[in-house]
Amino acid sequence: MRTRPLKVALLGCGVVGSEVARIMTTHADDLANRIGAPVELAGVAVRRPSKVREGIDPSLVTTDAMALVKRGDIDVVIEVIGGIEPARALITAAFEHGASVVSANKALLAEDGAALHAAAERHGRDLYYEAAVAGAIPLVRPMRESLAGDKVNRVLGIVNGTTNFILDKMDSSGAGYSEALDEATALGYAEADPTADVEGFDAAAKAAILAGIAFHTRVRLDDVYREGMTEVSAADFASAKRMGCTIKLLAILERAADGRSVTARVHPAMIPLSHPLASVREAYNAVFVEAEAAGRLMFYGPGAGGSPTASAVLGDLVAVCRNKLSQTTGPGESAYTQLPVSPMGEVITRYHISLDVADKPGVLAQVATVFAEHGVSIDTVRQQGKDGEASLVVVTHRAPDSALSGTVEALRKLDTVRGVDSIMRVEGE
């Protein structure tokens, strides 16, 4: 074993960063044996230096993150501060001054991953980011390495624990969205401002990263269709149960049947209770991968939190340090296919549509005519009502999303349709 330690700079010492530092200290001997050399925490960059950080030598703490990464003796930089800047500048500087990088920054990787990979390659450094996608779940490395010889055609995943917790509570208890969100906030699953989670921004960033790895093409955050879950209601869950389904906020990544394009989207969807993702409860994550040779694979576990995320960060740290010792680098970006990302309107999907209609003869015929005029085939329809109030619940066969959205707009113009109560896609079949 080499006795001279590999020096590590830690950028950020919040929930994740403090746990990374703790494990590095308490498991120092094990990490050294696994790597083949000791690892030494050489500096910790923070915004509030006066805060007491248990187990961290105060002499290591600095507010000058840029000076830390430019020291020249740093072997690995761990970036857990999040956001776009200054994280992007710090990571780039780390590469330029001889350090490889381990990051948990999904937003930055989804927006500027190609440039960061190019910078890492230009300087002969590693860029690892297992923690950016699904917390402790080993997903990036299996897809980037274990499935490197296979062809991935589809990825279907629950990649945000907060939204899964909320939807699970709505399903199991009959609670409304606001009530379930309040419980998630009280338990610490939801932030004071939950927008990034409930509006799908967090899941969309992860979807962009996964799509790039799965399909060997560049997918940016702007390429991902995004739809939040704030409009999901208890009535939607009641309808789902009548269909033998539940509702999840899904990241769905698909290769086109002709192999010439890909799609990436995040939105609520009904999935059959028989699908493996339907049983993913509370704040857990799960990703379902369909590959040509390997078949169907499912990755499951906690997708957030200090300890789970730190586990992924340290797994990357071990891999990067091993590469340092052997004077090599791991796999970088693979974007050779250069496949275009198709817009949402071209995606083939199914709809569950609930309509508030007049309770009189001929309404169903009018509605069916609108679907036919837009080339959308109806799978099932359920009609109920009394005393002048009625509802129609229509489930379609698969059709282009543009045709389905056009159908809904035409339905809104019918005199006999008083309102469209809900629209939701149906997946997982």
Side-chain angles (χ1 to χ4, degrees):
M1 179 188 294
R2 192 180 89 164
T3 57
R4 183 165 60 84
L6 293 161
K7 294 189 176 184
V8 178
L10 177 62
L11 309 184
C13 199
V15 173
V16 176
S18 59
E19 189 66 6
V20 168
R22 184 192 69 80
I23 297 174
M24 283 184 65
T25 301
T26 57
H27 294 176
D29 290 343
D30 285 338
L31 290 171
N33 286 321
R34 293 167 191 173
I35 292 168
V39 287
E40 173 189 316
L41 189 59
V44 181
V46 300
R47 285 183 297 177
R48 295 186 297 275
S50 60
K51 181 180 177 181
V52 176
R53 293 172 173 85
E54 186 177 348
I56 296 178
D57 183 347
S59 67
L60 298 178
V61 176
T62 178
T63 57
D64 194 341
M66 187 60 75
L68 177 59
V69 302
K70 287 183 174 181
R71 272 176 37 176
D73 64 336
I74 300 298
D75 295 290
V76 182
V77 169
I78 297 175
E79 183 271 309
V80 289
I81 57 177
I84 306 302
E85 292 292 358
R88 174 165 45 201
L90 290 167
I91 290 173
T92 303
F95 293 144
E96 292 171 351
H97 288 80
S100 289
V101 174
V102 173
S103 176
N105 196 331
K106 53 188 170 286
L108 177 58
L109 288 160
E111 178 172 302
D112 212 19
L116 294 178
H117 276 292
E121 183 177 2
R122 186 165 58 252
H123 295 285
R125 312 300 173 204
D126 272 323
L127 174 61
Y128 276 50
Y129 44 89
E130 185 68 68
V133 175
I137 304 172
L139 182 60
V140 171
R141 197 172 295 124
M143 291 186 64
R144 194 160 68 166
E145 299 178 25
S146 301
L147 294 175
D150 207 340
K151 181 180 180 182
V152 175
N153 290 317
R154 193 168 193 247
V155 179
L156 186 72
I158 298 167
V159 294
N160 182 278
T162 300
T163 54
N164 199 59
F165 180 89
I166 293 170
L167 292 172
D168 181 47
K169 290 303 174 184
M170 292 177 69
D171 186 23
S172 61
S173 69
Y177 167 76
S178 296
E179 183 182 351
L181 173 60
D182 288 344
E183 183 175 354
T185 304
L187 292 172
Y189 291 123
E191 301 286 346
D193 180 0
T195 302
D197 294 323
V198 300
E199 293 295 351
F201 291 101
D202 176 85
K206 295 171 181 177
I209 296 169
L210 285 177
I213 297 170
F215 305 133
H216 303 277
T217 195
R218 287 177 179 166
V219 179
R220 298 181 72 253
L221 180 59
D222 291 345
D223 296 321
V224 181
Y225 172 84
R226 177 193 55 79
E227 191 177 306
M229 49 156 283
T230 57
E231 299 301 317
V232 177
S233 66
D236 291 324
F237 274 100
S239 293
K241 286 181 179 180
R242 283 192 287 267
M243 291 177 57
C245 293
T246 188
I247 299 171
K248 299 291 185 182
L249 183 75
L250 298 178
I252 305 168
L253 321 170
E254 295 176 303
R255 188 191 300 269
D258 61 9
R260 296 179 181 177
S261 64
V262 299
T263 59
R265 50 196 166 108
V266 168
H267 55 72
M270 293 183 179
I271 58 171
L273 294 175
S274 57
H275 194 281
L277 291 180
S279 61
V280 178
R281 308 295 301 274
E282 298 193 335
Y284 277 78
N285 285 192
V287 177
F288 200 71
V289 178
E290 298 177 15
E292 200 165 89
R296 295 181 173 184
L297 309 170
M298 184 161 146
F299 301 84
Y300 170 85
S307 293
T309 307
S311 171
V313 168
L314 287 161
D316 280 350
L317 175 64
V318 170
V320 169
C321 286
R322 286 171 175 170
N323 291 344
K324 278 276 185 180
L325 292 179
S326 60
Q327 298 183 332
T328 187
T329 56
E333 183 188 35
S334 175
Y336 71 92
T337 62
Q338 300 181 27
L339 296 173
V341 182
S342 297
M344 186 62 191
E346 296 179 12
V347 173
I348 305 299
T349 187
R350 300 177 66 202
Y351 266 20
H352 172 282
I353 305 169
S354 179
L355 303 172
D356 178 15
V357 299
D359 187 13
K360 62 182 184 180
V363 173
L364 179 57
Q366 284 186 318
V367 168
T369 298
V370 170
F371 277 90
E373 288 174 347
H374 287 79
V376 178
S377 177
I378 294 176
D379 182 14
T380 62
V381 60
R382 185 175 71 252
Q383 185 175 15
Q384 58 189 34
K386 62 179 181 179
D387 300 329
E389 301 294 330
S391 64
L392 281 177
V393 177
V394 179
V395 179
T396 72
H397 284 291
R398 289 168 62 83
D401 196 79
S402 58
L404 287 161
S405 59
T407 302
V408 172
E409 290 306 309
L411 289 170
R412 294 182 194 275
K413 296 176 182 178
L414 289 178
D415 292 338
T416 51
V417 175
R418 296 170 174 171
V420 179
D421 290 337
S422 71
I423 308 166
M424 191 166 296
R425 296 174 182 87
V426 182
E427 299 288 343
E429 297 181 329

